[in-house]
Amino acid sequence: MKPKHVAVVGTGYVGLVTGACLADIGHRVVCVDADKAKVATLKKGGLPIYEPGLDAVVAANRKKGRLSFTGDLKEAMKTAELVFIAVNTPPLPNGEADLSFVETVARQVAQNLHRYTVIVEKSTVPVNTGAKVRQTLRLHGKKGVEFDVVSNPEFLREGTAVQDFSKPDRIVVGVESERAEKVMRELYAPIKAPFVVTDIKSAELIKHASNSFLATKISFINAVAALCERVGADVSLVAKGMGYDARIGASFLRAGLGYGGSCFPKDVSAFIKMAEGVGVDFKLLKAVREINDHQRHWAVERLRQALWNLRGKTVAVWGLAFKPDTDDLRNAPALDIIHALQAEGCKVTAHDPVAMGKAGPLLPGVRLVKTPLEAVREADALLVATEWKEYKAIDLSRVKALLRTPVLVDGRNLFDPAAAAALGFLYHSVGRGSAGLAGH
Ligand code: NAD
């Protein structure tokens, strides 16, 4: 394989992983970011995000001279045959995706195009964004310079991103020319995975439809969990029994505090908005979003049920990141729950294995402590908000000894209800009933 020269614009969770992993399969990659501090950190060999395994891939490929960083798109585009747009597409207040960063990059790319280049939409964008990128390139680019726009949505999961890149379930490529398809096939040749070639609009829809479907599975099992709580059934057993059905599958059927992060909440809302824009009322996804919002209230309600008045009480929160193995706090259920508790006059002590640095500025008034056991000392209750493995390994009898009252609200069904009850906890979990003193 002849290595390709690639520029990746945006070095966040997606851009940095994409850039580093493309370098790892042999390409020459320059990663560009507008954030000077990020570029400075990367140039010094540091990483601006926590992602398991990424540091080693970045270090190895910098050493081999296949991966470099710059703040200057013009410099990066000097040799680039492909330019990946991997900038953020955050939600606007009305739920639509904010595409202004994508537009800015498309304009800058147009101004620096000087030979045939494939411009790859990597960011998650609503259908028809490819057409807008193409129009921007035509309006701002030099006449006679050829280019192709490609949609190549990213399906990596934070926490397992490096592995997801090298062993993806599929690679989706939306193209409008055979020439662009050939370039994309060559780029990904070392990766063995089903290669799905579509038109650009379908590729854009595949990403939003996939994320919305996964969010639907999560809200579905949380709705079943609410039923289980009413009738005294166990949602984890229901999910187990469902998951063996190959048509359903076991993943994303874990009841809990709901989805968070930078993707599902934003992508579900953007999909609803996009559908609305073309006259389709996506009622199903509106319900998915509503159920998900409710899960945060579930946690506060259970704490209230256990502690009666929240004012003046102290709640210890284990886990701040929106899921384990990441330091990403965007739309993390823990943050919303903590804010709701503070609004009721509750004090909060919190711990997270990796997200503490990022959490400080977002959680004024919260006492952030270095160990999970320090968090529970003298607290009136413990809320498990993120299912970090290290929490599961903690001896609950030590937790009980440190808590002022043995209240455990397990928002991620991390512990065994019978074991918690046997230790004397008043234990609540999602869709598995309450145990211990809770029944009294
Ligand atoms: P991020 O916020 O972590 O990173 C985006 C980066 O783009 C930032 O470093 C920012 O400084 C940079 N940037 C913004 N404007 C720029 C410009 N004009 N020039 C250069 N750099 C610029 O975002 P992310 O989580 O990596 O997500 C990027 C896109 O990928 C989003 O559309 C997201 O929905 C999608 N996506 C994310 C994930 C995920 O797990 N995070 C997974 C799949 C898809």
Side-chain angles (χ1 to χ4, degrees), residues 127-128 205 270-282:
V127 64
N128 275 328
L205 279 175
F271 209 30
I272 292 170
K273 266 288 166 193
M274 186 280 291
E276 221 168 78
V278 293
V280 175
D281 184 4
F282 215 144

Side-chain angles (χ1 to χ4, degrees), residues 8-16 32-36 38 48-49 51 70-71 73 85-90 100-102 104-106 108 122-125 153-159 161 207 211 262-263 266-267 322-323 328 330:
V8 178
V9 191
T11 57
Y13 289 87
V14 165
L16 187 54
V32 189
D33 207 285
D35 182 334
K36 288 195 180 97
K38 245 181 208 186
I49 54 165
E51 183 59 49
T70 178
L73 178 69
I85 304 179
V87 296
N88 37 331
T89 49
S100 58
F101 302 100
V102 176
T104 302
V105 176
Q108 290 168 348
K122 194 61 159 163
S123 300
T124 301
V125 290
E154 183 51 61
F155 302 99
L156 63 76
R157 294 158 296 178
E158 287 173 24
K207 175 63 191 174
N211 271 6
S262 67
C263 292
K266 143 180 107 65
D267 294 347
F322 84 94
K323 66 172 185 178
D328 198 342
R330 291 177 285 185

Side-chain angles (χ1 to χ4, degrees), residues 261-325:
S262 67
C263 292
F264 285 6
K266 143 180 107 65
D267 294 347
V268 167
S269 291
F271 209 30
I272 292 170
K273 266 288 166 193
M274 186 280 291
E276 221 168 78
V278 293
V280 175
D281 184 4
F282 215 144
K283 292 196 188 85
L284 174 67
L285 286 186
K286 289 181 182 166
V288 164
R289 190 168 58 181
E290 208 175 294
I291 293 166
N292 196 60
D293 290 345
H294 175 78
Q295 293 312 103
R296 279 126 158 111
H297 298 297
W298 175 95
V300 178
E301 197 40 55
R302 286 296 172 277
L303 286 165
R304 207 182 280 123
Q305 210 173 312
L307 300 177
W308 195 0
N309 295 297
L310 292 173
R311 179 164 300 280
K313 304 274 168 54
T314 301
V315 170
V317 176
W318 279 2
L320 297 169
F322 84 94
K323 66 172 185 178
D325 295 320

